[in-house]
Amino acid sequence: MLKPPRISKDALDHLAQIRQQYRDERQRFISYWQTYAPKVNPTMSDWDEDAEPGAKALPDKKDLFDATAIKASDTFANGMQSTAFGRTVPWISTNPEDLDLKDDKDVAEWLQDADRRIAMSLARTRFYEEGRAFTRSAADFGTGIMFRDFDPTRAMPVYHAQHLKRCLIAENEFGEVDTLFRDFWLSPFEAASFFGKENLPDTVKRELDAKSTKRRKYIHLIFPKDKYDLGLDAREDGKDYYSLYVVEEDGLKAIGEGGYTTRPFYVWRWASSLEGDVWGVDSPGMIAYADALQANSMKKDFQRLVQLAARPPIK
C-alpha cells in the first residue's frame, strides 16, 4: 500500500542526478539496439522513451525483404514456452531441503499439491504472455526485464515485461542487478485511483477535472534502502527494498512511496560484458544482425533481378 512520500528534496535531486547518469550510460546501447531491431524484432523498433505508448505508427516494413531473423526469434520464444515454462509443461517442482523426506509419502503428496496450486495461481495471471515477451527481449537485445506487482483486489500477482527503453538498471558490488528505474504511463483517472488525487501535481488534477484521457509518464524507482546514502535505511518498516513513485514536474516530484521485502523484478542478461556494462551482450539477436543484414540485402537484390527479368525496361 502506498504512503505519502517522506523523502527530502535533496534526496530527490540526488536521485535525479543518478537517473540521468544511468540514462547517459544506456544511450550507446539504445543507439545499437535501434539499428537492428527492425530486422530482428520490428515491434520494438521505436526507442523514443518519451513517446506515449501507442502514439506512433506501427513499424514500416517496406525495407524488410527477409524475415529469417524474426522467425528465429519467434521460434526461440515458442520453444522456451513449449519446453521450459509453458502452461502445459510441468515445470514447477518443489523439493524439501532434507532430501530424505522425498521418500515420505505424505510429504510427496503435500509437495505435489503445492506444485499444482502454484501452477494454477500462475495460470490465472498474465505470467505466460509476459514471459514470452521477456524471453524474446533477452534473446534479441541481450537483456530481459520483468516487473512483478500485486493486485490486492484479486489477491494475485501481476507481471509486466518491460521495454528496455523504459528501464534503467544498476548492480551492487557483487555484479547482481538490485536496482530498477522504470517508466510507465497512466491516464489522470488511473493516476488518481492509484496515487490518490490529493498526491497528484496540480497539472494532473486539472486534467482529471477536465476529464482528459491523455496519459502521462510516471517513474517508479526501486532500490535497496541503504544503496544511495539517502538515510532510508533507518526506517523501521521491515522492507529491504525502497519503492518511490515520482513524476517529472519542474524536476522530480514524489507522489507516493512504499517498500518490498524481496526484489520485485527479474533481470535476465544473456551474457555479462567484460567491460563492466550493466546491460547484457552477445545474445543471438546481436550475433545474427550481420547475417540478417546480408540476407535482407541478398533477398532485396534477388527480387529486383526477378522484377527486371519479368518486366524489363523497354526503350
Side-chain angles (χ1 to χ4, degrees):
M1 184 176 179
L2 288 181
K3 300 177 182 178
R6 296 174 288 169
I7 192 167
S8 67
K9 180 67 167 58
D10 289 342
L12 268 180
D13 291 341
H14 183 39
L15 285 174
Q17 293 175 358
I18 293 171
R19 178 171 174 264
Q20 185 57 51
Q21 176 188 337
Y22 290 166
R23 290 177 71 185
D24 293 341
E25 293 171 354
R26 184 194 58 181
Q27 183 54 46
R28 66 191 185 94
F29 279 89
I30 284 188
S31 300
Y32 182 48
W33 293 330
Q34 65 186 1
T35 59
Y36 68 86
K39 301 295 187 295
V40 178
N41 193 335
T43 58
M44 291 181 67
S45 296
D46 176 24
W47 291 85
D48 181 3
E49 60 183 296
D50 293 320
E52 181 182 350
K56 293 194 174 182
L58 293 174
D60 187 355
K61 297 182 181 180
K62 63 182 177 63
D63 294 324
L64 183 65
F65 297 90
D66 184 89
T68 302
I70 300 173
K71 292 176 182 177
S73 172
D74 193 58
T75 300
F76 171 81
N78 292 340
M80 288 290 290
Q81 283 208 316
S82 64
T83 60
F85 66 93
R87 291 180 185 272
T88 59
V89 180
W91 64 283
I92 300 170
S93 178
T94 53
N95 292 292
E97 291 185 2
D98 184 353
L99 296 181
D100 292 336
L101 291 175
K102 291 182 66 175
D103 298 327
D104 187 291
K105 183 175 181 295
D106 292 336
V107 172
E109 290 179 352
W110 188 91
L111 291 174
Q112 186 179 41
D113 181 65
D115 294 346
R116 188 181 301 110
R117 290 177 181 273
I118 294 173
M120 291 175 60
S121 176
L122 284 176
R124 293 172 54 223
T125 71
R126 287 181 48 82
F127 172 78
Y128 293 103
E129 290 86 345
E130 299 295 315
R132 192 177 190 282
F134 173 70
T135 55
R136 281 198 71 178
S137 178
D140 295 341
F141 303 100
T143 306
I145 302 174
M146 183 183 288
F147 172 66
R148 185 196 73 243
D149 208 346
F150 187 78
D151 182 355
T153 304
R154 295 179 294 169
M156 59 187 291
V158 181
Y159 297 90
H160 301 284
Q162 305 289 300
H163 195 301
L164 301 186
K165 71 177 180 180
R166 306 201 186 281
C167 292
L168 299 167
I169 55 177
E171 299 175 334
N172 59 20
E173 63 271 28
F174 304 109
E176 301 164 339
V177 176
D178 64 351
T179 298
L180 172 65
F181 297 172
R182 69 183 189 98
D183 300 341
F184 63 105
W185 296 70
L186 297 175
S187 69
F189 174 78
E190 292 169 332
S193 176
F194 189 75
F195 299 112
K197 182 178 179 179
E198 66 280 2
N199 296 316
L200 297 176
D202 291 338
T203 306
V204 182
K205 290 179 181 177
R206 289 193 292 270
E207 293 172 351
L208 180 65
D209 293 337
K211 295 181 170 42
S212 171
T213 59
K214 183 175 177 56
R215 290 184 287 180
R216 175 185 292 267
K217 182 172 74 174
Y218 296 84
I219 306 166
H220 189 192
L221 311 175
I222 309 168
F223 53 89
K225 288 194 302 184
D226 58 351
K227 177 148 189 166
Y228 296 120
D229 193 25
L230 301 176
L232 304 172
D233 50 332
R235 298 187 181 182
E236 299 295 336
D237 55 6
K239 309 289 187 181
D240 292 331
Y241 285 84
Y242 179 65
S243 168
L244 178 68
Y245 291 91
V246 300
V247 62
E248 289 183 298
E249 193 80 18
D250 297 327
L252 294 185
K253 175 180 174 58
I255 54 179
E257 69 174 32
Y260 298 96
T261 305
T262 58
R263 181 164 50 90
F265 57 88
Y266 316 96
V267 177
W268 174 12
R269 293 176 291 183
W270 193 271
S272 296
S273 169
L274 296 182
E275 288 290 336
D277 295 305
V278 70
W279 301 97
V281 296
D282 297 338
S283 68
M286 291 178 169
I287 294 173
Y289 177 48
D291 294 334
L293 276 181
Q294 185 178 17
N296 194 69
S297 178
M298 292 174 61
K299 197 71 166 288
K300 178 180 178 181
D301 291 342
F302 178 75
Q303 290 184 7
R304 291 176 66 182
L305 287 173
V306 171
Q307 187 178 28
L308 283 173
R311 302 176 65 182
I314 299 175
K315 193 170 183 178

